[in-house]
């Protein structure tokens, strides 16, 4: 071996020693002669708290340089892998994504769609969600960053249990973003908090912007009715609960006052965010543009929240994913139960304080909702029976006076003013108030209309079958038509037909004791036909309620008719006529006669003017 070869071997040896010294991994030596096979550990079984490691960031990568340009100080958490973790409570199956540390999907366990599929009220494919904060390199969306799940002890939460866990984006050793979630075993509410820890100059401006665009999926059979019931509602302390028009296919609103909650509300289900922190400069809108039949409506929301609420402390919110149950919603937030629309004032008062309470009491003891509706009708009719009796007696009095009223008309011929004056005088003498038959009916109207709003909004009736109706919360159909009838639909509701027939029967029965004659008597038969068209696509429960109410009313009228002795009524009226013969006309009747006289003179004046 010559000198050059020896020198080469020495240099190669030195290089190899240096390589293994600086670059080779230190081998892991198994203890006690164990096999060196590495076992996979299920992280879901680890219950200890872990702190996410700070990720090393290299500037020499083209992709990373792009991230630096876009995300600045937050580039270290702008790249990663999306991992889904699913939790189960008694009410929800809810999954979370490490990308954004956000809710990925929410399934309601106790409910199904009209065709038997799970109700997934939230899924990322249907939403665009942003929580924007400003940086030196531009706006950054919190939900574009990657987080790591920590503090998640278990995945199954039962009644009585509550867990809390975090999604953390660790920027460096002293800076992090935390999203904290709280799940309870038997709640539809999900606690949510966000904190920005340790930041000084990285975040610019004093506001964060929350944008939330959501396509609301179709869960019910009737797409048209589902769209009519879908909207965005909101609550402010100054104005209370309000919302966009349900019936509008394109509506929007910009608010000057701060809101405390807003909801994407459908007929029976809702997703909402609630907080005590003011959400300012709120903008809401709804539309159906470019939506397929799988969706009922698109809702959008934009609010601004002060950054100081998040700075080195947790800004607290909560989500609601669940059914529109009036009693349950009362416990969620101020005026939150108003998401269930129960009619305008005073109709809503009847529903809130009478109908709902009676309904829930019956529900505790009776499982069949058809039977509950029948009992509800009986209770209401029993409570209103004195008014019904008064109304019927008043019509009977009017009927026995009909011969005398006809004589007055013949006496004055076409002079309506004198005929009406004599009629009023006759009513005064016999002691009959012509309006007394209408007043009891008017007092019953709030309850009649209350049902019009109560049944379409009652989730308790959803997918509850009765007789031939498979779902009392939507229309029953005995025939599906191959075409659509204008203002009627493409199906035939048997409950609506029976209700119409019973209404015609009631109208005929009342006509037997009514003094109404001529065209007006025939027009009253037209109204039930109109309602048949209107109610054909309304919930079967509503038509069934009106059907039972009509049958009971017909029975009441038949019973009252047998109780009333018309000869006795005539005798009483004649006695009143003798007693009131010299009685002065009351001030009210005088004003009424003067008003009638003025009206008749005005008509005559107009007719003379036309002749000229």
């Amino acid at each position: 071996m010559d000198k050059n070869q020896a020198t080469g071997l020495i240099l190669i040896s030195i290089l190899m020693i240096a390589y293994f010294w600086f670059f080779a991994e230190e081998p892991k030596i198994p203890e006690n002669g164990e096999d060196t096979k590495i076992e996979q550990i299920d992280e879901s079984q680890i219950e200890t708290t872990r702190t996410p490691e700070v990720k090393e960031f290299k500037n020499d990568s083209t992709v990373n340089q792009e991230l630096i340009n876009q995300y600045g100080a937050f580039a270290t958490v702008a790249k990663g892998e999306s991992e889904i973790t699913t939790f189960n409570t008694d009410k929800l199956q809810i999954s979370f994504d490490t990308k954004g540390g956000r809710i990925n999907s929410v399934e309601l366990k106790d409910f199904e769609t009209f065709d038997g599929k799970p109700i997934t009220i939230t899924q990322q494919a249907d939403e665009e969600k942003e929580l924007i904060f400003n940086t030196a390199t531009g706006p950054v969306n919190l939900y574009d960053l990657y987080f790591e799940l920590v503090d998640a002890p278990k995945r199954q939460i039962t009644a009585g249990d509550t867990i809390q866990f975090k999604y953390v984006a660790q920027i460096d050793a002293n800076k992090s973003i935390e999203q904290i979630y709280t799940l309870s075993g038997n709640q539809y509410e999900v606690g949510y908090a966000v904190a920005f820890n340790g930041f000084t100059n990285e975040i610019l401006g004093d506001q964060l912007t929350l944008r939330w665009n959501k396509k609301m999926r179709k869960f019910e059979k009737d797409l048209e009715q589902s769209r009519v019931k879908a909207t965005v509602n909101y609550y402010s302390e100054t104005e209370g609960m309000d919302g966009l028009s349900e019936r509008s296919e394109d509506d929007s609103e910009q608010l000057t006052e701060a809101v405390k909650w807003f909801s994407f509300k459908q007929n029976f289900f809702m997703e909402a965010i609630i907080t005590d922190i003011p959400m300012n400069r709120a903008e809401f809108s709804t539309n159906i543009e470019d939506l397929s039949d799988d969706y009922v409506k698109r809702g959008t929301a934009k609010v601004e929240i002060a950054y100081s609420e998040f700075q080195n402390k947790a800004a607290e919110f909560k989500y609601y994913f669940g059914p529109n149950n009036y009693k349950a919603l009362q416990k969620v937030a101020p005026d939150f139960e108003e998401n269930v629309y129960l009619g305008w004032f005073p109709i809503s008062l009847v529903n809130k304080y009478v109908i709902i309470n009676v309904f829930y009491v019956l529900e505790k003891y009776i499982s069949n909702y058809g039977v509950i509706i029948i009992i509800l009708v009986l209770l209401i009719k029993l409570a209103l029976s004195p008014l019904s009796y008064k109304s019927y007696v008043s019509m009977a009095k009017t009927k026995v006076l009909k011969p005398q009223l006809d004589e007055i008309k013949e006496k004055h011929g076409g002079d309506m003013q004198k005929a009406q004056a004599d009629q009023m005088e006759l009513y005064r003498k016999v002691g009959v108030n012509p309006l007394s038959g209408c007043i009891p009916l008017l007092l019953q109207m709030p309850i009649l209309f209350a049902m019009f709003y109560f049944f379409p909004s009652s989730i308790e009736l959803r997918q509850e079958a009765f007789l031939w109706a498979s779902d009392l919360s939507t229309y029953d159909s005995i025939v599906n038509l191959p075409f659509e009838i204008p203002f009627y639909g493409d199906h035939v509701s048997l409950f609506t037909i029976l209700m119409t027939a019973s209404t015609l029967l009631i109208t005929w029965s009342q006509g037997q004791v009514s003094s109404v004659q001529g065209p007006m008597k025939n027009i009253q038969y037209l109204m039930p036909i109109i309602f048949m068209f209107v109610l054909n696509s309304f919930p079967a429960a509503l038509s069934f309620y009106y059907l039972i109410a009509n049958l009971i009313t017909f029975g009441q009228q038949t019973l009252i008719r047998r109780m009333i002795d018309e000869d006795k009524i005539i005798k009483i009226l004649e006695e009143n006529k003798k007693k009131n013969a010299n009685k002065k006309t009351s001030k009210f009747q005088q004003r009424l006669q003067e008003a009638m006289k003025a009206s008749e003179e005005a008509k005559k004046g107009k007719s003379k003017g036309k002749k000229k």
Side-chain angles (χ1 to χ4, degrees):
M1 180 181 295
D2 62 14
K3 184 179 179 180
N4 289 332
Q5 288 176 328
T7 302
L9 286 172
I10 291 170
L11 289 173
I12 291 171
S13 299
I14 291 171
L15 289 171
M16 291 181 69
I17 292 169
Y19 177 84
F20 285 106
W21 178 265
F22 289 103
F23 299 104
E25 274 190 38
E26 182 180 359
K28 295 182 180 178
I29 303 173
E31 298 180 1
N32 301 325
E34 293 178 354
D35 190 5
T36 58
K37 182 180 179 181
I38 299 174
E39 294 182 358
Q40 297 293 325
I41 299 174
D42 184 0
E43 291 189 11
S44 67
Q45 303 302 317
I46 298 176
E47 298 191 6
T48 57
T49 300
R50 296 184 291 110
T51 302
E53 296 179 358
V54 179
K55 300 176 183 178
E56 184 180 357
F57 190 77
K58 298 181 180 179
N59 295 337
D60 58 352
S61 166
T62 304
V63 175
N64 286 337
Q65 189 59 50
E66 291 176 0
L67 293 178
I68 291 174
N69 294 338
Q70 183 176 355
Y71 294 98
F74 298 90
T76 55
V77 291
K79 187 177 181 181
E81 292 184 2
S82 174
E83 297 179 4
I84 306 297
T85 304
T86 301
F87 296 82
N88 281 281
T89 73
D90 292 345
K91 301 294 185 183
L92 307 174
Q93 179 175 293
I94 180 169
S95 65
F96 297 83
D97 193 344
T98 52
K99 183 179 181 181
R102 58 175 289 186
I103 294 171
N104 177 62
S105 66
V106 179
E107 179 184 316
L108 305 182
K109 288 187 171 182
D110 293 339
F111 302 94
E112 293 181 341
T113 63
F114 72 98
D115 52 356
K117 297 177 182 177
I119 287 186
T120 304
I121 193 168
T122 294
Q123 51 188 316
Q124 283 200 39
D126 297 338
E127 294 187 340
E128 295 176 2
K129 199 172 182 183
E130 298 177 327
L131 185 58
I132 303 292
F133 54 91
N134 291 314
T135 70
T137 57
V140 173
N141 177 16
L142 176 73
Y143 301 125
D144 284 341
L145 306 180
Y146 287 84
F147 291 73
E148 186 175 350
L149 172 63
V150 297
D151 301 349
K154 56 183 177 180
R155 305 289 187 263
Q156 194 73 36
I157 306 100
T158 56
D161 292 341
T162 298
I163 68 163
Q164 190 175 88
F165 54 90
K166 298 179 183 179
Y167 275 89
V168 180
Q170 196 75 36
I171 311 304
D172 62 29
N174 300 314
K175 297 180 176 66
S176 66
I177 304 174
E178 294 183 347
Q179 296 185 79
I180 306 160
Y181 293 94
T182 305
L183 300 179
S184 297
N186 58 351
Q187 297 290 325
Y188 290 106
E189 299 165 52
V190 175
Y192 177 56
V194 185
F196 288 75
N197 302 317
F199 296 99
T200 52
N201 301 318
E202 294 83 358
I203 297 176
L204 306 179
D206 56 2
Q207 299 288 328
L208 271 66
T209 301
L210 173 63
R211 292 192 185 98
W212 194 350
N213 302 332
K214 178 180 176 62
K215 292 190 292 185
M216 293 177 257
R217 278 196 172 269
K218 175 190 172 187
F219 301 134
E220 314 304 326
K221 177 171 66 174
D222 192 333
L223 176 62
E224 184 178 349
Q225 285 297 317
S226 295
R227 282 186 169 162
V228 165
K229 295 291 185 178
T231 189
V232 176
N233 289 329
Y234 51 84
Y235 170 85
S236 68
E237 289 186 340
T238 54
E239 300 294 331
M241 183 268 181
D242 204 346
L244 304 181
S245 171
E246 291 184 345
R247 294 187 172 274
S248 174
E249 295 182 352
D250 187 357
D251 195 13
S252 61
E253 187 79 38
Q254 293 184 355
L255 307 180
T256 54
E257 66 272 14
V259 299
K260 292 298 183 74
W261 60 255
F262 62 85
S263 65
F264 298 99
K265 176 256 176 186
Q266 295 181 239
N267 192 16
F268 295 122
F269 303 99
M270 171 172 50
E271 178 177 0
I273 189 167
I274 304 144
T275 183
D276 287 330
I277 299 169
M279 295 188 285
N280 303 304
R281 297 183 180 89
E283 298 178 13
F284 304 108
S285 68
T286 56
N287 64 75
I288 62 169
E289 185 178 355
D290 299 327
L291 283 183
S292 70
D293 289 348
D294 292 330
Y295 300 94
V296 297
K297 199 168 280 187
R298 181 188 291 105
T300 66
K302 176 186 174 184
V303 296
E304 292 184 358
I305 308 169
Y307 172 59
S308 59
E309 300 288 351
F310 302 86
Q311 196 170 17
N312 298 318
K313 63 179 180 180
E316 295 186 352
F317 304 81
K318 66 179 175 182
Y319 289 105
Y320 179 84
F321 307 100
N324 299 342
N325 182 295
Y326 185 84
K327 288 288 187 181
L329 296 184
Q330 287 179 315
K331 303 172 185 177
V332 175
D335 283 2
F336 203 62
E337 70 277 7
E338 298 297 325
N339 280 288
V340 181
Y341 184 61
L342 295 174
W344 39 273
F345 186 88
I347 304 301
S348 59
L349 297 181
V350 176
N351 273 322
K352 290 176 183 179
Y353 300 109
V354 180
I355 304 302
I356 284 179
N357 291 318
V358 174
F359 189 86
Y360 283 160
V361 168
L362 294 174
E363 190 182 33
K364 289 180 181 179
Y365 304 102
I366 303 169
S367 59
N368 187 301
Y369 284 89
V371 175
I372 289 176
I373 292 172
I374 293 172
I375 296 174
L376 186 64
V377 177
L378 288 169
L379 291 174
I380 292 173
K381 285 295 182 181
L382 183 63
L384 296 176
S385 56
L387 293 176
S388 301
Y389 180 80
K390 267 191 171 184
S391 176
Y392 199 85
V393 169
S394 177
M395 286 191 291
K397 288 180 179 179
T398 307
K399 182 187 177 184
V400 298
L401 288 174
K402 186 177 180 301
Q404 299 181 56
L405 294 172
D406 290 342
E407 288 179 7
I408 291 173
K409 286 181 181 179
E410 290 178 8
K411 176 182 176 182
H412 296 288
D415 194 338
M416 293 298 296
Q417 180 184 344
K418 291 182 179 180
Q420 288 173 351
D422 284 358
Q423 286 176 2
M424 294 301 297
E425 181 64 18
L426 174 63
Y427 286 140
R428 183 188 69 80
K429 288 180 178 179
V430 299
V432 171
N433 183 352
L435 299 178
S436 62
C438 301
I439 293 172
L441 291 175
L442 290 174
L443 293 175
Q444 295 179 55
M445 291 303 287
I447 292 179
L448 190 68
F449 282 115
M451 296 303 170
F452 191 81
Y453 292 101
F454 172 72
F455 286 118
S457 301
S458 299
I459 191 171
E460 293 82 4
L461 299 173
R462 186 176 183 270
Q463 296 183 349
E464 292 291 339
F466 183 69
L467 298 178
W468 56 85
S470 59
D471 185 349
L472 285 170
S473 70
T474 188
Y475 60 81
D476 63 297
S477 178
I478 56 168
V479 176
N480 292 319
L481 303 174
F483 52 87
E484 184 170 339
I485 300 174
F487 308 107
Y488 184 75
D490 59 358
H491 63 275
V492 177
S493 167
L494 182 55
F495 274 135
T496 306
I497 290 175
L498 293 175
M499 179 215 68
T500 303
S502 63
T503 307
L504 291 170
L505 180 65
I506 294 294
T507 305
W508 172 82
S509 177
Q510 290 175 342
Q512 303 305 302
V513 293
S514 173
S515 61
V516 177
Q517 296 294 325
M520 286 301 296
K521 187 168 185 177
N522 297 323
I523 289 175
Q524 62 185 345
Y525 288 97
L526 183 62
M527 291 305 297
I529 306 300
I530 293 173
F531 272 99
M532 182 184 72
F533 278 80
V534 172
L535 297 179
N536 189 61
S537 294
F538 272 68
L542 181 64
S543 298
F544 179 63
Y545 173 88
Y546 288 151
L547 167 63
I548 299 301
N550 284 343
L551 294 177
I552 293 174
T553 299
F554 181 76
Q556 282 181 322
Q557 290 182 354
T558 303
L559 183 62
I560 293 171
R561 187 182 300 167
R562 291 181 178 179
M563 294 170 56
I564 292 175
D565 186 344
E566 291 188 2
D567 293 334
K568 189 175 180 180
I569 289 176
I570 293 172
K571 186 177 179 182
I572 292 171
L573 294 181
E574 289 298 326
E575 289 177 357
N576 289 340
K577 193 174 183 179
K578 292 177 182 178
K579 289 179 183 178
N580 298 326
N582 299 319
K583 187 177 179 181
K584 292 183 178 180
T585 305
S586 66
K587 291 182 178 180
F588 172 77
Q589 288 177 324
Q590 288 176 359
R591 292 195 201 101
L592 189 61
Q593 289 174 358
E594 288 171 2
M596 292 168 60
K597 184 177 180 180
S599 176
E600 190 66 26
E601 288 176 352
K603 288 180 182 179
K604 288 180 179 179
K606 285 182 181 180
S607 61
K608 287 181 179 178
K610 288 180 180 180
K611 288 178 181 179
K612 289 179 181 179

